[in-house]
Amino acid sequence: MFNTQVGDFSREEFMSSGHNACAGCGPALAVRFLMKAMGPRVVVVITASCWSIISGVVPLRSLETVVMHCPFPSAAATGSGVKKGLEALGDLQTQVVVLAGDGGTFDIGLQGLSGAAERNEDILFVCYDNEAYMNTGMQKSSATPYGSRSTTTPDPMLKTNPKKDIMKIMAAHRIPYAATATIAFPEDLISKFKRALETKGLRFLHLFTPCPQGWGSPTDKTVELSRLAVMTRLFPLIEVEDGEKYTINYLPEEHVPIEKYLNPQRRFRSLDQEEVALIQEQVNRDWEKMCKLTAQ
Amino acid sequence: MKRKLMNGNQAAALAVKLARVQVVSAYPITPQTTIVEDLADMWARGTFPGEYVSVESEYSAMAYLIGAAYAGARSFTATSCQGLAYMHELLHWASGARLPIVMVNVNRSMGAPWSLEPDQTDSLSQRDTGWIQIYCADVQEILDTILLSFRLAEESRIPCMVVYDGFSLSHTYEAVEPPEQEQVDAFLPLPPGEAAINPSNPQNIQAVTDSRYLSRVRQELHLTMEKVPEAIKKMENEFYKIFGRSYPLVESIGLDDAETVIVTAGSMGQTVKSVLPSLSSVHSKKGFLRFRLFRPLPDEDIAALLGNAQIKKVLVIDRNLSAGAGGIFAQELSALLQGTSFQGEIFQLNLSGGVDLTPDLLNKALEKIEGAEKSRDKIIWGVDL
Ligand SMILES: Cc1ncc(C[n+]2csc(CCOP(=O)(O)OP(=O)(O)O)c2C)c(N)n1
Ligand SMILES: [Mg+2]
């Protein structure tokens, strides 16, 4: 099913231990895989997020490459500028990877990302989505799902609006490559990183990365929750080429009910049966729509 | 050398081309627009060999240059009023990261209400962002100052903002001596041929830090800023040898025997200069001082110029306003003159909103202060005259 096998993974580590992530951090694991796929010939531009901290505070550094920090809304433009600057100086090889959270992608960074996508800047934009502003303590973002508690949607005023569909937004820009991935499927994740690195123009990766601190989930359940998100069909593993060609990379055989995913997380604990049923219906509808898109 | 007619924006675009800028990213706004149009045109015709990127906002224009300058490329943008304000966060970032970006800001009033008038509060609001700021009075000065700014920014590693008035300079044609490419190359070293970063040399650039480290970063920026006036003087000497022109940090006329000094910045300096002889015959002897370098503030130079005991009155003409405090150049001037030998009184003529400085208006303001003894905090408003 996947192009990459676990045995293909680089044994080399480009992210060192001793970084600043919390126990069970999904984004830390995702970037560790990302670095394995990319190897050292990349520049990583990091916007304000948990990763501003995980990458190391002065004088430390957890990634074995050049890391550049930038202001919160500026990720896509700064990354594009780095790439253009390198090109102007004759370095056509070095890849620029922009790393942003869901806030830096779905919310405050969306305008700049849209501009960079329209210009088809030659960058790989990686959004690691932990479904809230975690660096500042779990405030809601437009990636926070319906029914989630956050410090700005506290009980009983849980989030009432659905999560923004960032993949559709990016596909609507007709960028050459967009894909979703998550850490429970490392072979899929790494093959998508590789595919993205081989493509020219703006490439977008949407990574589903649980946050035990924010979600109120056990620190040893991060990978399990990633898997459940895919198995419940909440987070389909897909690829979109040129904004048109949709592929679902993994079809869960059995139908795992959404409760399995929701129950281990304290952020969803005030949901009643009715609301859970509503979420299930929405998941079913979204999945059907996705299947139709891939059938075309 | 052959002289050519050109306006301020054309001079700016020409300077960018002559400086062999490697990355331009910009977003249009009146009255800056024709700079980016000229550059785009040169780029499309292949006469501007750098990269030209038309981004979706001023915010991204500056972020783009931060990226390009991180990589080591010579970078330029231009903006005005709302666009400059929209970049604000990034201006601090550029100076904190010590990136030698050069930017033109064409002065225009900040809304609300909407207006196109050349108020200076847009650039003066960015006073504390850690950028060098130079205010120009004519079209030749715009061209020359941009060339100087690249050298200055790259040597000091402090970003530099070149400021001039909307329309009265951006769109007004004057005779200019365009330099030859070889002259510019002799003055301004060619841009770097190699990227400043390389993944095989891992770094964590502008990572989170603590107060003591950060205070050192700030201190270093300030101490380097303090060296900028001397650095400019040296560069102006070289500039003179190559181009036959140079500019002082502060322009002044007749301060040796003046009793009343008119202080201003930007193109208003041209107006004041042109009527200065006639003003002197009417009342007391008049002198003239123009802020050119504003950040860093050449306070010692200004204090030395105004330290003359026969100077009784200073009239500061501010086309800007810090509401609740008054004109910004006036505030800066009174602060820097504290504890110096200056013994006169500071008066303010405020033209905020972009009110045009006519000789008539200037005469009326001078009449007002002629009889007045003390007027430190009373503002003469241009619109009242
Ligand atoms: C202009 C601006 N507004 C607010 C902030 C404060 N801030 C820093 S990180 C952050 C949230 C980041 O959330 P996200 O992008 O989801 O990344 P995460 O922290 O979850 O990794 C916020 C609000 C900022 N740095 N800049
Ligand atoms: Mg987040």
Side-chain angles (χ1 to χ4, degrees), chain A residues 101-103 130-134:
Chain A
D102 45 291
N130 50 20
E131 302 197 314
Y133 303 158
M134 294 310 184

Side-chain angles (χ1 to χ4, degrees), chain A residues 49-50 100-104 128-135 139 141 143 209:
Chain A
S49 61
C50 288
D102 45 291
Y128 69 90
D129 182 4
N130 50 20
E131 302 197 314
Y133 303 158
M134 294 310 184
N135 188 40
Q139 297 80 30
S141 76
T209 51

